[in-house]
Amino acid sequence: MAGLGGSVYALIEQDRLGWRNPAVLLPLAFGLAALALFVLREARTSAPMMPLGLFYARNFRYGNLVTAAAYGALSLGTFALTVFVQEGAGFSALEAGLISLPVPLAMLAFSTYFGNLAGRYGPRIFMTAGPLIMGAGFLLMLAVSPPLNFLTQLLPGLLLFSLGLAVMVAPLTAAVLGALDETDAGIGSAVNNAVSRVAGLVTVALLGTISGGSLDYSGFRQTALATAALFLVAGLIAFLGIRTPERDNSPA
């Protein structure tokens, strides 16, 4: 908690105070040192809260890297979009909430389908394609300009982003947990969930720096571009790092 709190505080305040300010440098140094001590303790204790041996499993290791990049981008992009349509385009809070409806609808409609396909063909292709599709969705949103037309400037990108999320989520979870023994599934799920939350917290903390301090049209375009870049990184990590497990074809 101390490591994360100090680091995130510094990331938030550096946009206002600058990197060289002691009020930024000291919390950042303290936070990073605390995180390093946490990892060191987990490596040496006999009963670690986060067993580092889990990361010896290739798909678990690379799956969490994909999680960090993709969920960091997801938190950054969706948060920026919600704020932008209110501050930059004048939407009400209700309207800003309603524009995200394609995301849960796509998850409900397609997650099981792509999860089944990943079980048949392996997770790599879906963990690669999903983030790339999501990134393409945010690239489409670079077309925003005043006055904002939701149907032509945002909806196509939102639909593409929602499809990409449905493509990625179930295969990612299956790949991360499938890399571990059944006895480690619980702690593996907890670690993966923590990675996604921490990644989102860090990227949102950097929003002010990424957007240039304002989520107007220019600031949103900068943030959408950064979001697409993070999704591209997630797709490349999946392509290079994830492996399809060999099937056991022996008779039962």
Side-chain angles (χ1 to χ4, degrees):
M1 292 293 292
L4 188 58
S7 301
V8 170
Y9 173 83
L11 294 177
I12 294 173
E13 289 299 313
Q14 63 81 26
D15 181 51
R16 182 173 63 90
L17 301 174
W19 287 108
R20 297 182 179 181
N21 193 296
V24 172
L25 287 175
L26 292 177
L28 181 61
F30 172 77
L32 293 177
L35 291 173
L37 288 173
F38 170 75
V39 173
L40 184 62
R41 183 189 181 280
E42 293 300 286
R44 294 185 175 184
T45 185
S46 58
M49 181 174 65
M50 184 183 71
L52 299 182
L54 297 176
F55 292 93
Y56 290 133
R58 182 186 181 97
N59 276 6
F60 184 81
R61 180 170 68 252
Y62 282 100
N64 276 287
L65 289 175
V66 174
T67 297
Y71 278 87
L74 174 64
S75 297
L76 175 65
T78 54
F79 181 79
L81 176 63
T82 303
V83 176
F84 161 69
V85 295
Q86 294 178 79
E87 293 190 353
F91 284 32
S92 69
L94 177 61
E95 290 170 332
L98 289 175
I99 68 170
S100 64
L101 275 178
V103 177
L105 292 177
M107 294 292 292
L108 287 171
F110 300 117
S111 282
T112 301
Y113 174 73
F114 285 110
N116 291 335
L117 287 180
R120 182 183 303 175
Y121 299 109
R124 185 188 185 200
I125 184 173
F126 302 97
M127 290 174 63
T128 300
L132 296 182
I133 295 171
M134 286 189 281
F138 271 89
L139 288 178
L140 285 180
M141 297 182 204
L142 293 176
V144 295
S145 61
L148 180 68
N149 187 318
F150 172 73
L151 292 179
T152 60
Q153 296 179 10
L154 285 182
L155 185 59
L158 271 171
L159 293 175
L160 197 59
F161 161 73
S162 302
L163 175 63
L165 186 62
V167 170
M168 180 194 73
V169 168
L172 172 59
T173 303
V176 169
L177 299 186
L180 304 175
D181 294 332
E182 290 183 3
T183 54
D184 293 325
I187 184 62
S189 177
V191 169
N192 188 244
N193 185 65
V195 167
S196 68
R197 298 297 176 262
V198 170
L201 184 62
V202 169
T203 54
V204 171
L206 286 169
L207 176 59
T209 301
I210 295 170
S211 67
S214 175
L215 276 172
D216 53 10
Y217 284 86
S218 175
F220 176 72
R221 282 192 288 266
Q222 290 178 216
T223 307
L225 187 60
T227 300
L230 276 174
F231 280 130
L232 172 62
V233 170
L236 289 176
I237 293 172
F239 179 75
L240 296 173
I242 297 297
R243 295 292 179 264
T244 298
E246 294 184 5
R247 295 186 177 186
D248 183 6
N249 295 320
S250 59

